[in-house]
Amino acid sequence: QPQLVESGGGLVQPGGSLRLACAASTLRYYHIGWFRQAPGKEREGVSCISKDSGTTEYADSVKGRFTISRDKAKNTVYLQMNTLKPEDTGVYYCAADATGFGLERGSYYYWGQGTQVTVSS
């Protein structure tokens, strides 16, 4: 099973950028999703990428600002986040599944521990 490790979170001002990474030695065998959870809110899907990187999806709230990509050689999936807004604040999780795909939590079996993103001036 994949041991998912997220990194790249931090504190950034509105309008700034961050790049999150999700790494695991067997990542190439899985579809990967990024989710986020703000305090007091449900965990929501942000973006996902298929095993072959041929298909990506984005939540409407991040379209045009976030980009998901996969580096097969590094067994890492990235989430480039630009033009960050305060409402992007939350814990960001990556998730993996061999067959499930999309922006629904139930599509993924394996989850990382999360990385905190805070957008504030």
Side-chain angles (χ1 to χ4, degrees), residues 96-110:
D97 200 275
T99 57
F101 184 71
L103 299 180
E104 296 295 324
R105 288 181 59 178
S107 297
Y108 299 89
Y109 187 79
Y110 302 104

Side-chain angles (χ1 to χ4, degrees), residues 6-28:
E6 302 101 332
S7 61
L11 173 64
V12 63
Q13 292 187 341
S17 297
L18 284 174
R19 188 178 75 161
L20 305 184
C22 173
S25 61
T26 59
L27 212 62
R28 62 190 177 277

Side-chain angles (χ1 to χ4, degrees), residues 12-13 25 31 34 58 60-61 68 71 86 99 103 108 111 115:
V12 63
Q13 292 187 341
S25 61
H31 303 305
W34 279 102
Y58 296 93
D60 288 343
S61 59
I68 193 169
D71 186 330
T99 57
L103 299 180
Y108 299 89
W111 290 82
T115 185

Side-chain angles (χ1 to χ4, degrees), residues 40-63:
K41 293 190 176 181
E42 300 247 335
R43 194 171 299 187
E44 62 175 353
V46 175
S47 184
C48 56
I49 187 167
S50 59
K51 293 179 198 179
D52 63 0
S53 303
T55 304
T56 59
E57 293 184 10
Y58 296 93
D60 288 343
S61 59
V62 307
K63 280 180 183 175

Side-chain angles (χ1 to χ4, degrees), residues 48-84:
C48 56
I49 187 167
S50 59
K51 293 179 198 179
D52 63 0
S53 303
T55 304
T56 59
E57 293 184 10
Y58 296 93
D60 288 343
S61 59
V62 307
K63 280 180 183 175
R65 300 188 298 121
F66 290 11
T67 304
I68 193 169
S69 62
R70 182 191 292 264
D71 186 330
K72 291 185 178 180
K74 294 184 178 180
N75 289 308
T76 301
V77 169
Y78 299 100
L79 185 69
Q80 178 67 43
M81 307 187 296
N82 297 329
T83 319
L84 283 161

